[in-house]
Amino acid sequence: MDDRRVGVYVCHCGHNIAGTVDVEQVAEWAQRLPYVAVARHFQFMCASTGQELIEEDVRELGLTHVVVASCSPLMHEKTFRNACQRAGLNPFLFAMANIREHASWVHPNDRDGATAKAKALISAAVSRVLRQNELEPIRVNIHPATLIVGGGIAGIQAALEIADAGHHVYLVEREPSIGGHMAMFDKTFPTLDCAACILTPKMFDVGTHPNVTLLTYSEVENVEGFVGNFQIRVRQKARRVIEDLCTGCGTCWEKCPIKVIDEVFEAGLGYRKAIYRPFPQSVPKYPVIDVENCTYFRTGKCRMCEKSCPAGAIDFDMEDRIIEFEVGNIILATGYKLFDCRRIPQYGYGRLPNVYTSLEFERLTNAAGPTGGKVTLRDGETEPKSVAIIHCVGSRDRNYNRYCSAICCMSSLKFAHLVKEKTGAEVYNFYIDMRPIAKEYEEFYHRILEEGTHFIRGRVAEITDAAHTAEEEGKTIVVAEDTLLGRQRRIPVDMVILAAGLEPQADAAEIGRMFGVGCGTAGFFTERHPKLDPVATMTEGVYIAGACQGPKDIPDTVAQGAAAAARVLGVISQREVTLEPIRASIDESRCSGCRICNALCPYNAIEYLEAEGVSRVNAAMCKGCGTCVAACPSHVITGAHFTFEQVMAEIDGIMVDVYSESPTAPLAEIMA
Amino acid sequence: MSDNRSFKPVIVGFLCNWCSYRAADLAGTSRVGYPATLRDIRIMCTGRLDPTFVLRALQRGADGVLIMGCHPGQCHYQEGNYKAIRRVALLKRMLKQFGIDERRVQLHWASAAQGVLFTETVSKMTQELQALGPLDWPHNWPNEDPYVYTLPKTKQEAAHEQQT
Ligand SMILES: Cc1cc2nc3c(=O)[nH]c(=O)nc-3n(C[C@H](O)[C@H](O)[C@H](O)COP(=O)(O)OP(=O)(O)OC[C@H]3O[C@@H](n4cnc5c(N)ncnc54)[C@H](O)[C@@H]3O)c2cc1C
Ligand code: SF4
Ligand code: SF4
Ligand code: FES
């Protein structure tokens, strides 16, 4: 045996590992593996004392390789690599055995099995680490610009933070204006301040900021590259209005003869024209032509807008524009979509005229909305005398979404207040549990209680127009079990508001895939760590903020927008990042020039050198997937850190006889 | 093969870093149990799976090999899993000729959110291997086996040998 000396550290993780795996026995057993100079077990390896233990041993015992058996490498590989580095050991001479997520936590009732598995995984790590080589991380410069996808309040906040700090932002929004859902609201809980008053100044700032390139009516089409150097391709849909000429005067949409139901901004309650801007404070102020409804595009005649525009800004022939640029970091702030209430047929939405969704009610009560802020029934005149507000529609329900949408209790309380204020109607809130959990929310709840709103605890079974009594005639009847009184109740009302839950955007999975971000069970983007890293993702350089990460209110959304911006600014100020040196390389002296690998690389990173008759990997383009490594018939491509020898050694190590008292004998032969 | 349930097969797993390894982690963090039959190895992508790895695992005594990656269309490197589909199909055809049952080498998918699916896959494969019984491949090889691949010596080993 040569002078390689491995240190093995088995972590208890408190009870998390030691409660199931016999850590003492495992450490003792590992001590007998070939080349192992020291094997210890310790309470918490990731704590500073644990890391110091490694550092001391490297210095004092002259360890040449280190193995830690603890949690997932996705959790702490970096931590321990850094400890090695501090002790003067190349961080790539370290390997990890995952005996928590992959052993103790999944085999809680099989102590022997979990212990045996821990041994096998440690033996694999030792066998592998002996063949690992020193590697130097790759350093790349960071492009100082940032891409933000989604111009709701999350994207707006993040954009302003970064732009104010002096760095460039590309803000891509797919609608004709930024603003997101917040722009649709009249008042915001719990303070009831006017949404437009607090949002529009921010929108204006984004629209005029010298450091912001605002790309509305646009979507990202392609993303390539990695942290520090992403190449972005955006498609800006043709507005058919020349922004440089348009003054936003509004003559065109006044003259346009075509009225269209506005399903997006007015939630289907109001109309817009075929040339329109979603709302008066839209940023940017330029309208767009909706070609599907425009008479000219449908029949070849009309051109009213063109004739009426004093600036000559209409351009029917405008085409989609492809815009390409580079950024160093990306923030996804794509928000949510509302649960489709038609999915619960017994609630009658779409069938019973006076059943509204929460977003419809937001527009109904909005001073700039279709009724000028008057709360009326569908006939547009009658004021309701009684209103039922149903909480948790599509949320906390195993048939639809199991999760709590977090904002519906509060928005329902807000609606109760607005209805009372505007109409004096009797209000009935049907709730399952009241969850006003943030600052000043409980106080808001009490305020609404004092205003005389009736609270009925119980999930609504049905909403119907089938009257049982004369009193119910012509009303919308809400049928629910009052779980506090323990009996069925039928409450006839004039209007019902369904507090629909928040759902991931319909294309969340697709967008996630494009940016390398996963979606959890409910379909929202997955953060790097649910507690300690809420705005980062598993892909370096890609962050998430706002309701795209999970249902949340505006204060939390703004906090995340700012947090994501701070993370991006932190990366920008480092000027360069280090990347894992997991890359392929070809031993050109042994390459036969068969070119099999050329076509296999998904990133076209392998070029064929005609003159030399061999292939070569462009390290800057290679992402280290290893496809070429597995395919080369001459076995001359090396995948750094996942070499043939390393993986074969890992297999040999993992197949150790874990029940043998002396693993040394057969293993020594294998490992040597 | 008389008492199948007491037979604890050894499955060597090859899990890709981006989906299935994370699914296995998620099974852990959500405390969803499965039999302690799997011993897993992390590779960056199923596209890295050299068929030799599978043969090596069987040759060293594994009763089965489970390869898991991202769902088709979701590979972190775009299409590594499609390469794996083809390679595993070819490998299986060859293994069949060696008399090795198809079920001993399996390729499955699990996204990072499918911790439960991951555990179900391991449990199901464990049951199938219990029904098949041990493979015991090492014993099928002649004592002095010319096919055993000997690892090339590392730099340190070579240097050490030269010294002595
Ligand atoms: C009825 C109702 C009332 C509410 N009332 C309140 C309240 O009073 N107080 C409060 O604090 N919270 C309230 N909320 C919650 C509030 O709406 C959210 O907290 C907030 O809107 C989240 O902001 P966001 O920027 O994350 O998402 P969003 O507002 O959804 O914005 C996302 C933006 O991204 C754009 N986008 C999406 N996908 C893409 C893509 N692929 N490419 C480009 N752009 C894209 C969208 O067009 C949109 O502009 C309410 C919610 C509802 C449903
Ligand atoms: S597959 Fe191997 S031998 Fe063929 S060109 Fe590529 S590196 Fe050279
Ligand atoms: S490892 Fe993957 S990305 Fe790198 S050259 Fe080979 S095939 Fe291309
Ligand atoms: S990264 Fe999972 S299969 Fe390619």
Side-chain angles (χ1 to χ4, degrees):
Chain A
M1 296 230 290
D2 50 74
D3 51 8
R4 284 176 292 170
R5 298 165 69 76
V6 184
V8 176
Y9 301 86
V10 185
C11 183
H12 298 201
C13 194
H15 259 308
N16 283 312
I17 295 171
T20 306
V21 171
D22 187 340
V23 286
E24 242 168 89
Q25 193 208 338
V26 169
E28 201 181 297
W29 181 86
Q31 180 81 61
R32 281 177 259 147
L33 290 172
Y35 292 97
V36 171
V38 61
R40 304 183 194 275
H41 57 94
F42 191 75
Q43 268 272 313
F44 289 105
M45 281 311 296
C46 60
S48 57
T49 40
Q51 296 187 48
E52 279 156 22
L53 194 64
I54 300 177
E55 291 173 51
E56 267 166 36
D57 283 353
V58 169
R59 290 199 197 94
E60 278 157 35
L61 306 177
L63 299 182
T64 56
H65 300 78
V66 172
V67 168
V68 175
S70 56
C71 49
S72 169
L74 302 176
M75 182 92 192
H76 272 312
E77 188 170 61
K78 247 190 195 155
T79 312
F80 298 122
R81 278 186 181 169
N82 289 344
C84 292
Q85 188 147 38
R86 281 197 299 277
L89 199 63
N90 183 287
F92 290 89
L93 300 177
F94 164 78
M96 211 158 163
N98 184 348
I99 62 167
R100 191 179 72 175
E101 281 84 343
H102 291 198
S104 68
W105 277 352
V106 285
H107 312 310
N109 305 318
D110 183 1
R111 193 173 171 82
D112 287 345
T115 303
K117 183 164 171 181
K119 287 178 184 171
L121 295 180
I122 290 171
S123 151
V126 170
S127 177
R128 164 187 232 297
V129 83
L130 284 165
R131 293 177 188 278
Q132 280 172 208
N133 306 313
E134 293 192 359
L135 293 173
E136 287 311 321
I138 299 169
R139 284 176 211 287
V140 294
N141 290 332
I142 293 171
H143 196 288
T146 304
L147 165 70
I148 300 179
V149 186
I153 183 60
I156 290 173
Q157 182 71 28
L160 287 177
E161 303 269 357
I162 296 171
D164 285 344
H167 298 289
H168 201 85
V169 172
Y170 295 90
L171 179 58
V172 175
E173 165 61 53
R174 80 171 147 211
E175 296 298 328
S177 169
I178 56 171
H181 283 97
M182 191 177 168
M184 302 168 72
F185 307 156
D186 186 45
K187 297 271 162 53
T188 53
F189 61 71
T191 43
L192 295 176
D193 33 9
C194 142
C197 314
I198 52 178
L199 179 65
T200 42
K202 278 182 185 282
M203 289 166 57
F204 180 80
D205 285 353
V206 168
T208 52
H209 206 296
N211 286 337
V212 177
T213 302
L214 183 56
L215 299 169
T216 50
Y217 216 38
S218 303
E219 277 176 77
V220 178
E221 261 192 358
N222 192 38
V223 182
E224 263 169 42
F226 46 85
V227 56
N229 303 270
F230 292 105
Q231 288 90 42
I232 311 293
R233 191 170 77 230
V234 169
R235 174 180 293 269
Q236 185 162 45
K237 286 169 275 181
R239 271 195 125 83
R240 299 176 205 269
V241 172
I242 301 165
E243 299 189 7
D244 287 341
L245 299 177
C246 171
T247 60
C249 68
T251 321
C252 55
W253 64 81
E254 274 161 28
K255 292 279 148 66
C256 172
I258 298 298
K259 255 187 167 185
V260 185
I261 294 180
D262 184 350
E263 295 287 354
V264 179
F265 190 75
E266 294 293 5
L269 279 192
Y271 294 92
R272 60 165 170 79
K273 293 297 183 61
I275 181 164
Y276 73 105
R277 68 179 183 199
F279 51 105
Q281 306 92 329
S282 289
V283 170
K285 62 188 174 199
Y286 320 113
V288 299
I289 296 181
D290 161 12
V291 295
E292 262 164 47
N293 290 297
C294 165
T295 334
Y296 172 67
F297 280 98
R298 292 176 52 188
T299 65
K301 287 202 196 77
C302 180
R303 303 181 89 122
M304 273 306 287
C305 49
E306 190 184 42
K307 284 174 213 153
S308 67
C309 175
I314 308 288
D315 174 6
F316 289 108
D317 301 327
M318 189 182 270
E319 288 189 358
D320 289 4
R321 208 154 63 96
I322 301 294
I323 302 155
E324 289 181 310
F325 51 89
E326 262 190 43
V327 297
N329 291 280
I330 297 170
I331 300 176
L332 299 183
T334 49
Y336 64 93
K337 81 165 172 27
L338 204 69
F339 171 78
D340 178 4
C341 294
R342 286 187 183 82
R343 287 173 61 198
I344 313 187
Q346 64 270 30
Y347 282 5
Y349 178 72
R351 181 165 50 84
L352 303 175
N354 290 313
V355 177
Y356 290 79
T357 69
S358 46
L359 274 182
E360 284 175 336
F361 181 77
E362 288 285 357
R363 292 313 296 157
L364 205 56
T365 182
N366 195 308
T371 57
K374 259 186 73 185
V375 176
T376 61
L377 300 182
R378 291 265 179 207
D379 64 12
E381 286 163 20
T382 325
E383 223 175 55
K385 295 206 170 47
S386 50
V387 177
I389 302 170
I390 322 296
H391 295 219
C392 299
V393 175
S395 310
R396 306 181 65 199
D397 184 335
R398 59 169 64 235
N399 297 317
Y400 306 101
N401 297 310
R402 279 166 177 267
Y403 56 84
C404 166
S405 288
I407 58 100
C408 328
C409 276
M410 282 302 286
S411 64
S412 301
L413 293 174
K414 175 175 77 172
F415 298 162
H417 169 84
L418 293 173
V419 169
K420 269 228 168 309
E421 186 183 69
K422 297 201 162 171
T423 67
E426 285 299 314
V427 181
Y428 303 87
N429 274 47
F430 291 84
Y431 68 103
I432 310 179
D433 295 293
M434 194 54 76
R435 294 181 166 176
I437 41 148
K439 188 175 169 182
E440 288 179 28
Y441 283 15
E442 180 74 12
E443 292 91 322
F444 187 72
Y445 170 39
H446 282 273
R447 175 173 165 193
I448 306 305
L449 275 173
E450 279 156 25
E451 285 176 3
T453 297
H454 308 284
F455 284 89
I456 298 169
R457 185 171 183 275
R459 191 183 278 287
V460 170
E462 191 188 5
I463 297 169
T464 172
D465 56 358
H468 283 188
T469 62
E471 188 205 352
E472 288 181 358
E473 216 51 73
K475 301 268 182 187
T476 308
I477 304 122
V478 181
V479 185
E481 165 160 333
D482 186 329
T483 55
L484 295 181
L485 295 180
R487 62 181 172 85
Q488 273 266 352
R489 293 185 69 176
R490 293 173 62 90
I491 312 254
V493 292
D494 296 328
M495 176 191 253
V496 177
I497 307 169
L498 304 177
L502 310 191
E503 286 192 336
Q505 292 281 13
D507 59 356
E510 212 177 296
I511 297 289
R513 214 170 298 137
M514 177 153 57
F515 291 95
V517 177
C519 294
T521 333
F524 293 101
F525 293 147
T526 312
E527 61 279 14
R528 192 177 195 103
H529 190 281
K531 292 169 212 107
L532 302 180
D533 217 349
V535 295
T537 68
M538 284 296 180
T539 302
E540 299 273 344
V542 180
Y543 300 87
I544 49 179
C548 64
Q549 181 255 2
K552 58 177 63 63
D553 56 16
I554 296 167
D556 282 358
T557 298
V558 170
Q560 281 204 339
R567 294 294 301 274
V568 167
L569 290 171
V571 178
I572 295 173
S573 65
Q574 287 171 18
R575 291 213 178 81
E576 55 171 35
V577 275
T578 50
L579 300 178
E580 291 251 307
I582 300 176
R583 300 289 138 108
S585 59
I586 296 177
D587 178 353
E588 286 168 22
S589 67
R590 288 160 58 219
C591 169
S592 70
C594 71
R595 304 189 63 173
I596 284 177
C597 56
N598 298 191
L600 282 178
C601 175
Y603 303 102
N604 298 322
I606 310 179
E607 57 178 341
Y608 181 65
L609 308 177
E610 288 286 350
E612 292 87 343
V614 295
S615 295
R616 180 181 290 169
V617 177
N618 177 341
M621 286 163 76
C622 167
K623 297 202 178 184
C625 69
T627 296
C628 62
V629 185
C632 173
S634 317
H635 257 299
V636 301
I637 312 185
T638 306
H641 217 55
F642 289 88
T643 66
F644 185 76
E645 289 72 27
Q646 285 161 3
V647 182
M648 290 296 257
E650 199 170 347
I651 300 168
D652 290 348
I654 221 164
M655 287 310 299
V656 64
D657 181 358
V658 285
Y659 299 102
S660 145
E661 281 302 306
S662 52
T664 323
L667 257 191
E669 179 198 329
I670 293 172
M671 286 193 187
Chain B
M1 255 209 261
S2 50
D3 187 2
N4 284 336
R5 267 157 307 153
S6 69
F7 162 54
K8 292 204 182 91
V10 174
I11 307 173
V12 170
F14 293 96
L15 309 183
C16 88
N17 182 55
W18 301 97
C19 285
S20 49
Y21 194 86
R22 281 157 213 247
D25 274 8
L26 181 63
T29 37
S30 348
R31 313 292 203 280
V32 189
Y34 55 93
T37 46
L38 181 77
R39 301 178 183 180
D40 60 281
I41 289 175
R42 181 166 62 124
I43 50 182
M44 290 312 277
C45 172
T46 53
R48 173 67 187 95
L49 187 90
D50 187 329
T52 324
F53 297 164
V54 179
L55 295 174
R56 177 66 146 219
L58 297 176
Q59 179 206 354
R60 289 290 184 214
D63 300 295
V65 173
L66 173 61
I67 305 135
M68 286 185 80
C70 316
H71 285 276
Q74 298 191 6
C75 169
H76 187 75
Y77 306 99
Q78 298 177 9
E79 52 200 30
N81 44 10
Y82 290 111
K83 315 249 154 80
I85 294 175
R86 293 192 208 133
R87 287 175 189 154
V88 170
L90 284 175
L91 178 68
K92 279 187 155 187
R93 203 184 292 174
M94 191 190 94
L95 287 174
K96 228 189 253 166
Q97 288 165 357
F98 280 119
I100 291 188
D101 193 285
E102 275 223 277
R103 286 163 289 180
R104 292 200 188 269
V105 177
Q106 301 192 11
L107 174 62
H108 293 280
W109 321 121
S111 80
Q114 291 177 314
V116 174
L117 178 67
F118 171 84
T119 63
E120 288 167 354
T121 310
V122 178
S123 302
K124 184 155 172 279
M125 182 161 180
T126 302
Q127 283 166 10
E128 286 172 356
L129 292 178
Q130 280 173 332
L132 286 171
L135 175 61
D136 217 4
W137 225 25
H139 287 172
N140 292 334
W141 294 76
N143 277 345
E144 274 160 278
D145 167 42
Y147 300 105
V148 174
Y149 181 89
T150 25
L151 293 167
K153 298 198 168 46
T154 61
K155 272 187 233 144
Q156 290 104 317
E157 282 162 347
H160 183 74
E161 249 168 41
Q162 271 193 341
Q163 280 167 21
T164 52

